[in-house]
Amino acid sequence: MTMEEYYGASLVKLNYAEQILKKTASTYTGPRMLDGVQPILYITTRIKHPKSMVEKLERYQLATDCETALHTMHDAVGMRVICSFADDVYAVAEWLKKQEAFTVVQIKDYIAAPKPNGYRSLHLIVRMNDPALDGLSAEIQIRTIATDFWAALEHQIKYKRQVMYETVMRQELKRCADEIASLDLSMQTLRDILHGDSRENDMSA
């Protein structure tokens, strides 16, 4: 089933919401920008594929039509913001919460409380404020580049229908996720030390 077949006339609104999300995040002017550092490495957006949306609705035992999807699911439109360091994730989230293009209605912090499989990311469920979008919801995922690498591979494994040694593989994925979280923390610490040295040098100059 194509996007046009499933979403019909609503696809125009979804495309518009996708453009607003990307344009908003692309104008980030929050912390660290004053130091000439861009904490956002890259941004991706997408409209959820009909097959994925139908499967999700079926898991929730809901009708699988477009109207149900747009009124009960929050991720028909999604944006992923990839940051360099862990504290950048929260800085970007705080900045996004202040933007006029949308209103944050829910925060899911899977960094402070990781999912059982080890997934770590900060999710913002937002309501688009443009009247033309009729209160459409969207999901913004913010995470580090290290976590994004893990999530991309985990997604490929998760959606394979036949997986040998599934329990072992899931245990190994969890171990890798924990190691990546430790790596994020180490890189954050190194950056903070370097920035601390730079500030001291500037003050003594």
Side-chain angles (χ1 to χ4, degrees), residues 35 190-205:
D35 298 328
L190 287 171
R191 192 204 69 176
D192 291 346
I193 291 172
L194 289 172
H195 277 213
D197 288 344
S198 297
R199 293 190 190 97
E200 290 179 7
N201 290 335
D202 289 342
M203 291 176 65
S204 62

Side-chain angles (χ1 to χ4, degrees), residues 13-116:
K13 292 182 180 180
L14 296 175
N15 282 320
Y16 181 41
E18 184 181 20
Q19 292 171 16
I20 291 175
L21 289 174
K22 190 168 186 176
K23 182 178 180 180
T24 300
S26 297
T27 62
Y28 178 79
T29 55
R32 293 186 69 207
M33 292 295 287
L34 295 177
D35 298 328
V37 178
Q38 173 55 269
I40 297 177
L41 293 175
Y42 57 90
I43 299 163
T44 61
T45 59
R46 65 99 181 96
I47 296 172
K48 198 173 189 72
H49 192 277
K51 183 175 183 293
S52 297
M53 181 61 82
V54 168
E55 289 176 350
K56 185 171 184 178
L57 289 166
E58 288 176 343
R59 287 198 302 272
Y60 284 90
Q61 298 183 331
L62 297 170
T64 58
D65 60 284
C66 171
E67 184 176 356
T68 300
L70 298 184
H71 283 85
T72 61
M73 298 292 116
H74 303 300
D75 62 344
V77 182
M79 176 171 69
R80 188 169 296 149
V81 181
I82 308 304
C83 300
S84 302
F85 298 95
D87 66 348
D88 291 335
V89 170
Y90 289 100
V92 169
E94 287 302 314
W95 183 85
L96 286 171
K97 284 194 262 184
K98 301 172 184 175
Q99 303 313 299
E100 296 180 355
F102 43 73
T103 300
V104 176
V105 296
Q106 186 180 7
I107 300 174
K108 299 178 181 179
D109 191 343
Y110 297 119
I111 298 175
K115 288 187 176 183

